[in-house]
Amino acid sequence: MSGIFDETTHEKLSEEGRARRHAMLMGGAAIAATAAGGLMPGGARAEAIGKTEKPIQFLFAIYPNGTLLDFAGPNEILSRIPNTKVRFASPDGGPVTLEKGIVFGPTEKLSDINEVDVICVPGALDLSAMMKPEMLGHVRRLSETARYVTSVCTGSIILAASGVLKGKRSACHWAFLNVLKEYGAIPDPARIVKDGRFMSGGGVTAGIDFGMAIAAELRGAQAAQEVQLLVQYDPQPPFHAGNPLIAPPKIRDAVYKILPGSKDGLMRPII
Amino acid sequence: MSGIFDETTHEKLSEEGRARRHAMLMGGAAIAATAAGGLMPGGARAEAIGKTEKPIQFLFAIYPNGTLLDFAGPNEILSRIPNTKVRFASPDGGPVTLEKGIVFGPTEKLSDINEVDVICVPGALDLSAMMKPEMLGHVRRLSETARYVTSVCTGSIILAASGVLKGKRSACHWAFLNVLKEYGAIPDPARIVKDGRFMSGGGVTAGIDFGMAIAAELRGAQAAQEVQLLVQYDPQPPFHAGNPLIAPPKIRDAVYKILPGSKDGLMRPII
């Protein structure tokens, strides 16, 4: 395996630097330890946040037909902030078949979770697996004791349906924002919305921005920005069509046709 | 179940509009059909791109210890563009255990894939599973016949190690960019890099921008922007620390300590 990396480099590298890089990219013990600690050297980070503090328990409540990026985005941030344990739970536990046949696991069973510090409900086009009284009951139960109750995309519709968002401002995917009203929540078209202990992100990709915001809330701006640099979150979309207010009319009109109901104005953003 | 949605809405909604929204969010047949077509009504999209055209075969070559968001980002774009089939393959096939114990599947076996239109190699901190001569051989074999050879993050190091990037410009995670030189590739610090049929994205989150760019390349700017609006890709990071050139010095210096080797300048971006 040592031949894979050509050490006849064009630069003058220290022996130590070369050895460390090699060990990292080839999955050596050093990086295994680092990765286990969320990319943070355990000692330094533990010191910064208080050695005796218990890890924050962050739960993604996922479900069949859910949208992967809704939670894969914030997970990439939260799984790297110090002293934070990201857990996944689903209605039946085990591997979960998401939208487009993707299978994700492992997950715990939602009914087995006693209490968490943060509950996050990601979204989907098909919310049916969570819109059952039993599942809404678990969402409500965990929300009552959590420090933060959060969502990404249409996950806020699940939170709202569980009854915990009455009178609270919340984000949602732009096309479904008005649905929140039906459960007494206050739709907010912002990409990241905070109303007391309730935090939410807009549609799909907003989960990354939400992840940054909740990471800063939980562990401070320094830790959140360190992770931002680690995951090189310096977005540069090649087009500007990410919300209906800025999208070219021909893009917006095409999507209004694609998403059923938007032609009737059911799902237009509130501005 | 019908009681879940409170139909005593605050707005005057048409009966049809209400029924369609309800069916969608509750996983009705209409949305199931729409979702299967990548959120695009099949007929309209098929007409736009030519009914007889074969689907584009887009392959993510994933592997143990890989980083989920590297491919979950572009997948969310590519799985929604018209007439495109996203496939996943891995060294052993079946479910793959990624970084931090996440299990993702299903995947085909890399050696079973004959030919694809696009190969995309996502990245990781630990590349060891792909840095074996047999796996590099499959990457090289599939790259020779693909229309586009692509990567996200340190996936470009795998492509480079396979020999296909000699003399080609490529992106990479900023901290590992210089490693490309050792395989004769030309490191490019841009977030999205195109050099002929080679396209690449920078670190982790750059996969979404890369996904937008390759989607436009494959199916045109209209289709790419429709998906951008569907996934509400209008990023608004709450901090500006996503690359070492703009990150506050105390963030950058902390990350230089976190990533082994960067203190020696091994992994500084080339500018």
Side-chain angles (χ1 to χ4, degrees), chain A residues 44-55:
Chain A
R45 304 308 305 158
E47 207 167 292
I49 57 166
K51 273 179 185 165
T52 55
E53 197 178 338
K54 277 173 59 183

Side-chain angles (χ1 to χ4, degrees), chain A residues 8 49 88 180 197 239 244:
Chain A
T8 58
I49 57 166
F88 298 92
L180 291 173
R197 68 187 186 99
F239 303 100

Side-chain angles (χ1 to χ4, degrees), chain A residues 1 4-6 10-11 13-14 17-18 20-21 24-27 31 35 38-41 67-69 72 75-76 79-80 99-106 125-128 131 173-174 176 178-179 181-183 191 202-205 208-209 212 216 221-222 225-226 228-239 241-244 246 248 250-252 254-255 258-261 264 266-267, chain B residues 1 4-6 10-11 13-14 17-18 20-21 24-27 31 35 38-41 67-69 72 75-76 79-80 99-106 125-128 131 173-174 176 178-179 181-183 191 202-205 208-209 212 216 221-222 225-226 228-239 241-244 246 248 250-252 254-255 258-261 264 266-267:
Chain A
M1 292 300 295
I4 296 295
F5 279 90
D6 178 6
H10 305 286
E11 294 177 296
L13 308 181
S14 73
R18 194 150 49 197
R20 286 165 77 198
R21 178 179 59 191
M24 176 159 55
L25 291 171
M26 298 311 288
I31 195 58
L39 265 177
M40 308 289 168
T67 299
L68 175 63
L69 189 55
N75 173 63
E76 208 65 53
S79 64
R80 297 182 197 281
E99 190 182 19
K100 298 181 193 298
I102 284 171
V103 179
F104 179 95
L125 267 174
D126 170 4
L127 305 178
S128 57
M131 284 298 208
H173 188 292
W174 64 265
F176 299 90
N178 286 358
V179 178
K181 281 191 197 172
E182 302 184 17
Y183 302 100
R191 194 160 174 89
V204 194
T205 54
I208 302 177
D209 297 323
M212 285 294 305
Q222 171 82 21
Q225 288 175 91
E226 288 176 13
Q228 181 173 14
L229 184 48
L230 285 168
V231 301
Q232 205 170 336
Y233 187 44
D234 176 27
Q236 294 165 30
F239 303 100
N243 83 54
I246 60 168
K250 70 173 181 176
I251 304 298
R252 194 192 57 210
V255 172
I258 289 166
L259 284 177
D264 300 323
L266 294 180
M267 306 176 193
Chain B
M1 293 300 294
I4 296 295
F5 279 90
D6 177 5
H10 305 286
E11 294 178 296
L13 308 181
S14 72
R18 192 149 51 199
R20 286 164 77 196
R21 178 178 59 191
M24 175 160 55
L25 291 171
M26 299 309 289
I31 195 58
L39 265 179
M40 308 287 167
T67 300
L68 175 63
L69 189 55
N75 173 62
E76 207 65 51
S79 65
R80 297 182 197 282
E99 189 182 20
K100 298 180 193 300
I102 284 170
V103 179
F104 179 95
L125 267 174
D126 171 4
L127 306 177
S128 58
M131 284 297 206
H173 188 292
W174 64 266
F176 299 90
N178 286 357
V179 178
K181 280 192 200 171
E182 301 184 19
Y183 302 100
R191 193 158 175 89
V204 193
T205 55
I208 302 177
D209 297 323
M212 285 293 306
Q222 172 82 20
Q225 288 175 92
E226 287 176 14
Q228 181 173 14
L229 184 49
L230 285 168
V231 301
Q232 205 171 334
Y233 187 44
D234 176 28
Q236 294 166 31
F239 303 100
N243 83 55
I246 60 168
K250 69 173 181 176
I251 304 297
R252 194 192 55 210
V255 172
I258 289 166
L259 283 178
D264 300 323
L266 293 181
M267 307 177 192

Side-chain angles (χ1 to χ4, degrees), chain A residues 239, chain B residues 40 45-46 48-58 77-78 80-85 117-118 147-148 211-227:
Chain A
F239 303 100
Chain B
M40 308 287 167
R45 303 309 305 158
I49 57 166
K51 274 178 186 166
T52 55
E53 196 177 337
K54 276 172 62 182
I56 290 171
Q57 301 285 324
F58 190 106
I77 307 293
L78 291 155
R80 297 182 197 282
I81 64 168
N83 210 22
T84 301
K85 181 167 175 49
D117 296 300
V118 187
R147 279 171 57 200
Y148 292 94
M212 285 293 306
I214 185 87
E217 184 86 13
L218 294 169
R219 291 300 188 202
Q222 172 82 20
Q225 288 175 92
E226 287 176 14
V227 177

